[in-house]
Amino acid sequence: MPELPEVETTKSGIAPHLEGKQIKEIRVFEPRLRWPIPSDLATLAQGATIVSIERRAKYLLFHTSAGTVIGHLGMSGSMRIADLNSPRRKHDHVELEMADGTLLRYHDPRRFGAILWAGDNWAEHPTILALGPEPFDELFTGEYLFQATRKRSIPIKTLIMTNAIVVGVGNIYANEALFMAGVRPKRAAKRVTRAEAYRLRDAIVDVLTKAITQGGTTLKDFVNSDGQPGYFAQQLMVYGRDGEPCITCGEVLKLVVIAGRASVYCPSCQR
């Protein structure tokens, strides 16, 4: 599943091609995504100018002169700038053609993504309203994270993957950040010390920053806006490496399942 770095990489790839340009036409070939694409989307946005493209959590916000379109890549979605004359592929469900001929295609084999209309009040849209701070916001401090853990018995990994606490810490990056901070993923959140919370906050920011810089994580379905895979997978320290030696101490990495998600940790380096 594309996580925050993959979505940020997509935004950075498509924004220079679309911002400041007028929408000529929106073509919807398959409206049945996670939520149905509004039947009047093409009418609402046609002729509007894309003012800016922003990322909020894993959502892409296309701010236009007529209102905001919210996009989500779901489990297997991608957005690419394509040649106007290139053939449309089987799972290219939406095309956005600009007045100058620039073409954006939304590709989603599993159809778990979304293309929604939020109008002028996008911050109040149900998909956006309950989101917590971005990991790069000044609000997301070590003290904020420590206070969020108090009196909570859920595993610390579950807590940092909760969008109401902080957005964008998906499964891969939660595994990596917890390893960097020396905290076992199954530890009750309320058992995390202040010092550990501060380290974990810094680790979350660090691992996400590195992933964005390197283009996201290589997954089976994910490609960036140029159709290329991400390259952060070669840097992963624990995720997907259960049964292999820890790169720090050599101990065999262990696998536990938390809330249905694979969690790999080092029993020696993480406490």
Side-chain angles (χ1 to χ4, degrees):
M1 174 188 292
E3 297 188 12
L4 184 151
E6 289 76 39
V7 180
E8 182 68 24
T9 299
T10 297
K11 186 211 77 172
S12 298
I14 65 177
H17 298 277
L18 301 175
E19 289 179 341
K21 296 183 180 180
Q22 184 181 37
I23 299 172
K24 177 182 178 181
E25 185 179 3
I26 297 178
R27 295 182 284 271
V28 178
F29 303 102
E30 174 55 84
R32 297 172 299 171
L33 302 182
R34 181 177 180 183
W35 301 289
I37 297 177
S39 59
D40 57 351
L41 176 64
T43 302
L44 290 167
Q46 185 173 348
T49 297
I50 296 180
V51 178
S52 64
I53 301 176
E54 178 185 4
R55 179 194 55 75
R56 179 71 172 103
K58 297 181 186 179
Y59 294 96
L60 287 169
L61 308 175
F62 294 77
H63 300 299
T64 81
S65 55
T68 297
V69 176
I70 299 176
H72 194 285
L73 301 180
M75 295 288 292
S76 60
S78 61
M79 292 185 180
R80 297 186 181 94
I81 301 298
D83 187 283
L84 193 60
N85 297 315
S86 62
R88 184 171 64 87
R89 296 173 300 165
K90 179 180 179 181
H91 299 294
D92 288 344
H93 302 314
V94 180
E95 287 184 346
L96 178 67
E97 182 181 346
M98 311 308 291
D100 70 346
T102 300
L103 184 69
L104 176 71
R105 281 184 171 143
Y106 174 66
H107 183 81
D108 190 353
R110 302 186 192 180
R111 292 193 283 115
F112 285 168
I115 304 290
L116 303 168
W117 177 254
D120 293 328
N121 201 17
W122 64 269
E124 299 297 318
H125 192 275
T127 59
I128 305 295
L129 189 59
L131 295 175
E134 293 279 331
F136 308 113
D137 283 354
E138 59 182 22
L139 294 174
F140 184 61
T141 64
E143 187 62 27
Y144 166 88
L145 182 56
F146 176 67
Q147 294 301 329
T149 64
R150 299 306 83 194
K151 299 181 180 180
R152 292 176 182 259
S153 298
I154 61 173
I156 183 60
K157 179 172 180 251
T158 300
L159 183 132
I160 64 173
M161 291 180 64
T162 302
N163 279 332
I165 302 297
V166 58
V167 302
V169 187
N171 191 44
I172 295 174
Y173 302 111
N175 275 266
E176 296 298 298
L178 286 163
F179 175 76
M180 291 170 65
V183 178
R184 291 195 184 188
K186 208 167 185 178
R187 173 120 60 97
K190 64 184 180 182
R191 302 299 182 191
V192 172
T193 67
R194 178 176 268 107
E196 289 171 333
Y198 276 60
R199 289 204 307 268
L200 182 54
R201 178 268 173 197
D202 290 346
I204 288 169
V205 173
D206 186 47
V207 72
L208 291 175
T209 299
K210 288 178 179 176
I212 290 169
T213 300
Q214 298 185 47
T217 304
T218 300
L219 296 174
K220 179 170 65 70
D221 294 318
F222 175 70
V223 290
N224 63 26
S225 60
D226 296 321
Q228 300 299 315
Y231 297 104
F232 189 68
Q234 57 190 292
Q235 305 295 328
L236 296 178
M237 295 177 287
V238 289
Y239 181 82
R241 297 190 60 241
D242 54 293
E244 298 181 25
C246 172
I247 62 173
T248 299
C249 71
E251 184 84 13
V252 175
L253 298 177
K254 292 189 176 182
L255 171 70
V256 293
V257 177
I258 302 172
R261 310 299 295 273
S263 303
V264 182
Y265 71 97
C266 174
S268 178
C269 295
Q270 292 168 261
R271 299 292 180 181

